[in-house]
Amino acid sequence: MLKNAYIRVSGLALVILLLVFAVFKYLRNKETVLESFKFEPVLNQIPARFKANDKLAIEIKASKGCILKANVIWGTLVFSLDSALVLPNSIVSEAGIHKLSIWCNSVKKEEKRIEVLPNESYGILSSYIGSKSIPADGGIHWSMLTVLPVDKYHNIIDDGSKITIKSTRPNGSYLEAEPITKNGIAYLKIKSQQNIGKTFLASSTELSDSKEKELLELPNIPNSFSLFTNTKLLVADGRQYFKVTTSDILDKFGNRVSDGVLLRFIVVDQDGLQSIYRSFVMDGKASVNLKNPAKKGNIKIYAVVDNVLKSESISLNVQPYVSDFKLSFIAKNFALNIGPVLAKMGQYVSDGTEVKIYKNKKNNEYTTFLKDGVATFDLFKKSEIGDTLTVEIGGVSKEIIVL
């Protein structure tokens, strides 16, 4: 039995030895084949520099078992060379530096650097303007037109390319400039002039044109203005309204200021108290409707813009609305009779005219209104015998003592 076991082990060892020998011989033959493989350069027919062209057919000959690596401007591409290859558009039409290399069995066999050049600007020329509006202040402010020219394959064109920019200004002048590109852009500063309106701009090259761009030139801050009113007679009825209007509000170059500018009209009454009314400029002017004062005397009105400009003030003389009226006290029912109240031409004053009643010239104040030229006011629990009552109507006042 030991003899049979020895024979089996010997036979197994022989089989293993034969397998090792066969593998060694295979590897030796393969190495001999690899050593005998002779690589032939395939990139030498590609030009080192050429302009972007998607119709350009650059063919690379087949090389069995090899690949082409292309390191382009945005990444790496890999192609098999088991059959002939035509370089794709992503290489021949994109401007920039590309590196091509041939790899066979993980060994780099050949490498070439190619430079694809951009063409001239083509198609619709991209242009941008900012800011889109500036004050017409004689050159203090400016805007900028920026142009980004590209060729038909959307490659940025060469630095130093000339861009023609044409413009018409609000004052009717015409401007033509030819800035050159740098780092892919060309630009032109547009300084403000003294006239409001629109500046129109257009850019072009030999093979491309931009869309029209607009720059809005707005009025500067107001320079001066005055106030006026057409009211010939201003009476202290505390009921009617009169209108105050500004002159044309202009900037320093004579342009009307923009619509929507806020004005504050300040009214200073006979007692020095101020009232503020707000209004907005429309078509170069602003106006405000003011209620007639309830007291006679002089009032002053002026306007302010943004706390930086104050108009000249106007003074108005407020005439009494009432010419005369009677007062009587009825002790039986403790009532004050007022009227009839007459206006300048002897007519009854309007219904609803306000009547102010002050007790002992202090802060006790009562209000009633006229109807058909008269009013009655109940003084029960509001006044006592001996009190002095002051009645004021339409700028005229009278006193009566409660008896």
Side-chain angles (χ1 to χ4, degrees):
M1 291 181 64
L2 289 174
K3 185 176 180 180
N4 291 337
Y6 174 76
I7 293 172
R8 286 198 297 273
V9 171
S10 298
L12 182 60
L14 181 61
V15 171
I16 292 172
L17 183 61
L18 290 173
L19 287 173
V20 170
F21 177 76
V23 170
F24 175 77
K25 185 174 181 181
Y26 170 77
L27 293 175
R28 185 68 180 269
N29 290 338
K30 184 177 181 182
E31 183 178 349
T32 302
V33 171
L34 289 176
E35 289 178 352
S36 63
F37 174 77
K38 185 176 180 180
F39 177 78
E40 293 185 5
V42 294
L43 300 179
N44 54 0
Q45 78 275 21
I46 301 176
R49 294 178 93 226
F50 57 88
K51 285 199 170 186
N53 185 355
D54 60 355
K55 300 296 189 291
L56 188 63
I58 299 179
E59 184 175 339
I60 299 178
K61 294 185 296 184
S63 187
K64 285 287 187 180
C66 298
I67 61 171
L68 169 70
K69 280 187 180 181
N71 296 101
V72 296
I73 56 175
W74 48 266
T76 302
L77 301 173
V78 178
F79 305 94
S80 172
L81 291 180
D82 286 345
S83 57
L85 171 70
V86 176
L87 286 182
N89 291 341
S90 57
I91 296 177
V92 297
S93 65
E94 291 197 15
I97 304 297
H98 308 313
K99 292 182 179 179
L100 306 179
S101 57
I102 304 294
W103 295 74
C104 301
N105 299 309
S106 302
V107 177
K108 183 162 63 174
K109 295 293 186 179
E110 187 182 7
E111 184 177 54
K112 184 159 187 174
R113 177 182 179 275
I114 63 173
E115 182 179 3
V116 180
L117 305 174
N119 293 282
E120 295 76 20
S121 178
Y122 182 85
I124 297 178
L125 193 57
S126 297
S127 61
Y128 306 90
I129 191 161
S131 62
K132 294 183 180 295
S133 63
I134 54 175
D137 52 14
I140 298 175
H141 285 80
W142 53 270
S143 184
M144 179 183 289
L145 180 71
T146 304
V147 184
L148 285 76
V150 295
D151 67 11
K152 65 183 297 185
Y153 305 110
H154 303 290
N155 298 308
I156 294 174
I157 67 174
D158 286 331
D159 283 357
S161 299
K162 188 184 297 183
I163 307 296
T164 300
I165 298 178
K166 301 176 182 179
S167 67
T168 55
R169 306 303 301 273
N171 65 357
S173 62
Y174 173 81
L175 169 69
E176 185 169 330
E178 292 184 331
I180 59 173
T181 59
K182 183 178 180 181
N183 298 325
I185 65 171
Y187 66 89
L188 178 68
K189 284 185 176 180
I190 304 104
K191 291 187 176 181
S192 65
Q193 294 183 338
Q194 298 179 6
N195 297 81
I196 62 173
K198 288 183 179 180
T199 290
F200 297 94
L201 299 119
S203 310
S204 63
T205 66
E206 187 176 346
L207 299 176
S208 61
D209 294 282
S210 73
K211 296 180 179 179
E212 183 179 77
K213 296 296 179 181
E214 295 181 3
L215 170 64
L216 185 60
E217 298 188 57
L218 302 171
N220 206 353
I221 61 174
N223 188 48
S224 64
F225 64 99
S226 57
L227 304 180
F228 66 92
T229 179
N230 291 328
T231 301
K232 303 299 182 184
L233 179 63
L234 188 60
V235 295
D237 64 358
R239 183 175 59 85
Q240 299 183 78
Y241 286 84
F242 66 100
K243 188 174 184 179
V244 176
T245 305
T246 69
S247 63
D248 280 334
I249 305 177
L250 309 175
D251 66 13
K252 64 185 290 187
F253 299 112
N255 301 304
R256 283 183 172 183
V257 299
S258 301
D259 289 350
V261 172
L262 175 66
L263 264 73
R264 291 183 298 138
F265 288 85
I266 315 295
V267 180
V268 184
D269 68 12
Q270 300 88 339
D271 299 323
L273 300 177
Q274 291 187 354
S275 301
I276 300 176
Y277 301 82
R278 291 175 174 81
S279 181
F280 297 93
V281 174
M282 291 296 294
D283 295 327
K285 295 182 179 181
S287 63
V288 65
N289 290 318
L290 302 175
K291 192 174 183 180
N292 285 16
K295 294 182 179 180
K296 65 179 180 178
N298 289 323
I299 62 172
K300 184 174 71 172
I301 306 171
Y302 63 92
V304 176
V305 181
D306 293 333
N307 292 324
V308 297
L309 178 63
K310 178 180 175 182
S311 74
E312 297 178 358
S313 62
I314 58 172
S315 293
L316 301 176
N317 184 26
V318 183
Q319 300 290 330
Y321 174 46
V322 172
S323 63
D324 194 17
F325 62 90
K326 295 180 179 180
L327 294 177
S328 61
F329 177 72
I330 304 174
K332 180 180 178 180
N333 55 5
F334 225 72
L336 177 65
N337 286 343
I338 305 164
V341 182
L342 303 178
K344 290 291 183 181
M345 295 185 295
Q347 77 276 25
Y348 287 144
V349 299
S350 301
D351 290 352
T353 297
E354 189 176 70
V355 178
K356 293 287 187 180
I357 303 171
Y358 303 93
K359 186 175 73 171
N360 296 329
K361 298 182 180 180
K362 294 183 179 179
N363 291 329
N364 299 77
E365 179 183 321
Y366 310 107
T367 303
T368 187
F369 300 92
L370 295 177
K371 172 70 173 175
D372 295 330
V374 297
T376 300
F377 189 74
D378 185 3
L379 291 172
F380 182 68
K381 293 186 178 180
K382 297 184 180 71
S383 185
E384 300 175 354
I385 299 298
D387 285 343
T388 298
L389 302 177
T390 302
V391 179
E392 185 177 291
I393 309 171
V396 175
S397 63
K398 286 189 174 185
E399 291 184 352
I400 187 172
I401 298 176
V402 179
L403 297 175

